[in-house]
Amino acid sequence: MEFSIKQIAEYLNAEVVGDENLKLNNLSKIEEGVPGTLTFLSNPKYTNYIYTTKASACLVSKDFVPEQPIETTLIKVDNPYECLAKLLTLVESYKKGNKCGVHPTAVIDANAKVGKDVYIGAYAVIEAGAVVGNNSKIYPHTFIDTNVVIGENSILYSGVKIYDNCVIGKNCILHSGVVIGADGFGFAPDAQGVYNKIPQIGNVVIEDNVEVGANTTIDRATMGSTIIRKGVKLDNLIQIAHNVEIGNNTVIAAQSGVAGSTKIGENCMVGGQCGFAGHIHIAPKCGFGAQSGIHNSIKESGYYQGYPAMTVGQFRRLSVIQKQLPDIVRMVY
């Protein structure tokens, strides 16, 4: 796979400063650039590398002006990081090709409905009443239970498990080990203190353009639906409990957990290892620093951090005071 700088610039509607006829065959980090590769500059911390990189071309912002002589050809765009994502998507499509067809070892119930141009890999199982939309890809050893609906252009990588009656939207990506629709954690103690299972009869609804990372689990609702709204991105190793609702375009980093019936608003950003108590509401456009513990509802948009979570200003003041506590104790005693 090889492209000229001119071809890339036309694809990105970009301005070229340098030799537009150079050929590129790979991408590289700016500090590790070699001839024939394309790199990018988005974070100002890496600006010094643009003067030493050996990469043949570099994506930069349109307002970038070199302060020293520069050897690499510049491809000037509005947003280098966004353009890099477009190029990586293009590269990935070339690498993977357009998988299509059903492997002979796949097991598809006669009452399942499989759309056009679908790929179903080895030992995948699709049960009765399930629907797989056009152009979707079901990788090996994936299990799709009864009456599950998979929308068009969605990808389920190897080892994904979708329990009965769950719904996956269009253009979704579920990575290996994802489990959708396992029972919510519902038990009721009797007079002897024995925990009896509460049947979980709801489902999970994942809307369009959602990506779920490896080994993340989303539990089915006790009644009704656990809902993941459009554009949500979930990292690896996340637990979403029963009857949770996550708003449009919210992103959650690895090892976070959301307890039952909590509702997280749209456009929130959640750092790694955050924990949300059950039955709380989080306002839209909230950010949470890593390892924050959110015990109560958050009614105002803003950035929160700490355990228990507080505004970032409060958290920073408290951190300063905590560091001073040994000196304060010595002064008092």
Side-chain angles (χ1 to χ4, degrees):
M1 182 180 59
E2 188 176 74
F3 298 96
S4 70
I5 291 175
K6 182 179 180 180
Q7 288 175 310
I8 290 173
E10 289 174 350
Y11 178 69
L12 298 175
N13 193 26
E15 173 192 353
V16 177
V17 180
D19 186 355
E20 65 178 14
N21 296 313
L22 288 173
K23 301 293 185 180
L24 305 174
N25 55 34
N26 209 339
L27 294 108
S28 64
K29 296 192 291 185
I30 193 168
E31 67 272 29
E32 299 174 359
V34 296
T37 65
L38 171 69
T39 188
F40 77 106
L41 176 63
S42 178
N43 189 329
K45 292 180 180 179
Y46 291 84
T47 300
N48 60 306
Y49 288 111
I50 200 167
Y51 303 109
T52 59
T53 187
K54 300 301 181 184
S56 296
C58 182
L59 290 171
V60 296
S61 175
K62 284 184 176 178
D63 58 8
F64 174 75
V65 178
E67 297 178 352
Q68 304 174 31
I70 198 165
E71 294 184 10
T72 187
T73 293
L74 302 180
I75 302 175
K76 291 192 166 187
V77 294
D78 289 325
N79 186 328
Y81 201 66
E82 181 181 343
C83 287
L84 176 70
K86 288 178 66 175
L87 290 175
L88 289 172
T89 300
L90 180 65
V91 170
E92 184 181 45
S93 67
Y94 272 91
K95 286 172 63 177
K96 290 188 174 181
N98 187 24
K99 284 181 175 288
C100 193
V102 178
H103 194 277
T105 61
V107 179
I108 303 174
D109 190 276
N111 292 317
K113 296 180 181 179
V114 177
K116 298 178 181 178
D117 301 318
V118 167
Y119 165 67
I120 300 176
Y123 302 103
V125 175
I126 301 177
E127 296 282 26
V131 177
V132 179
N134 297 338
N135 302 306
S136 286
K137 293 177 174 54
I138 312 300
Y139 278 76
H141 296 281
T142 290
F143 173 71
I144 299 174
D145 207 346
T146 54
N147 302 317
V148 167
V149 176
I150 310 291
E152 297 178 358
N153 302 307
S154 287
I155 301 173
L156 279 60
Y157 284 106
S158 58
V160 169
K161 306 294 187 290
I162 313 292
Y163 285 48
D164 61 284
N165 297 300
C166 292
V167 178
I168 312 297
K170 300 176 182 178
N171 306 309
C172 291
I173 300 174
L174 276 57
H175 288 277
S176 293
V178 164
V179 178
I180 306 296
D183 283 355
F185 194 61
F187 299 90
D190 61 19
Q192 288 73 44
V194 175
Y195 283 87
N196 298 300
K197 185 176 180 63
I198 300 172
Q200 307 289 291
I201 62 172
N203 72 341
V204 175
V205 175
I206 296 178
E207 296 185 346
D208 300 343
N209 303 308
V210 171
E211 183 159 353
V212 182
N215 294 317
T216 284
T217 57
I218 304 174
D219 290 347
R220 71 195 309 109
T222 306
M223 293 176 284
S225 299
T226 302
I227 303 175
I228 312 298
R229 298 290 184 190
K230 293 180 180 178
V232 167
K233 312 299 180 190
L234 301 178
D235 199 358
N236 303 335
L237 296 166
I238 290 172
Q239 158 65 10
I240 306 297
H242 55 195
N243 292 96
V244 165
E245 182 175 338
I246 299 178
N248 295 344
N249 302 312
T250 283
V251 294
I252 303 180
Q255 298 183 354
S256 294
V258 184
S261 299
T262 281
K263 299 185 186 300
I264 298 178
E266 62 186 21
N267 297 109
C268 289
M269 298 180 68
V270 180
Q273 296 186 335
C274 285
F276 291 81
H279 302 274
I280 62 175
H281 289 69
I282 306 299
K285 298 182 180 179
C286 284
F288 296 93
Q291 296 189 328
S292 293
I294 302 91
H295 300 162
N296 300 301
S297 293
I298 303 288
K299 298 180 180 179
E300 295 183 6
S301 302
Y303 193 79
Y304 298 84
Q305 193 167 4
Y307 183 89
M310 61 195 78
T311 64
V312 69
Q314 290 176 306
F315 177 80
R316 288 171 180 168
R317 289 192 293 271
L318 180 60
S319 296
V320 171
I321 293 170
Q322 285 178 329
K323 291 177 182 178
Q324 295 173 342
L325 280 176
D327 293 333
I328 294 172
V329 170
R330 281 193 291 270
M331 290 172 60
V332 171
Y333 292 101

